[in-house]
Amino acid sequence: MMTDPNAYYAGGRGVELYDLFTGGGLLAGDIEFYLECARRFGGPILELGTGTGRVLVPLADAGHEVLGMDLSRPMLDRAAAKLRERPELS
């Protein structure tokens, strides 16, 4: 039993599998929602709780200037790895 809810974001399987758990189901359509908001309202965009960059990368891919912040260093490391794979987004 996990007593500290923040322990999920401290690393390990929770971070490794985050995108799989959040990519569909209850969050289905969220990326499209944020893309539409960005198109409608413009930027730059500050994404608090950016996590693994699951939303940040598609926003940047669509040409928006995005700054992501998160308390979880392992989540930010995962987001940074995604951005390293896409140097055109930097």
Side-chain angles (χ1 to χ4, degrees), residues 2-69:
M2 187 184 314
T3 57
D4 178 5
N6 294 317
Y8 179 83
Y9 301 102
R13 294 279 184 236
V15 172
E16 291 173 23
L17 301 175
Y18 181 80
D19 290 344
L20 292 174
F21 291 131
T22 59
L26 293 175
L27 296 180
D30 68 326
I31 292 174
E32 293 78 10
F33 169 79
Y34 291 117
L35 286 167
E36 176 58 24
C37 287
R39 184 199 61 74
R40 188 170 171 201
F41 300 109
I45 300 165
L46 173 61
E47 185 188 11
L48 299 174
T50 198
T52 64
R54 187 181 66 81
V55 175
L56 180 140
V57 171
L59 287 169
D61 196 35
H64 301 286
E65 181 182 346
V66 187
L67 173 65
M69 297 176 66

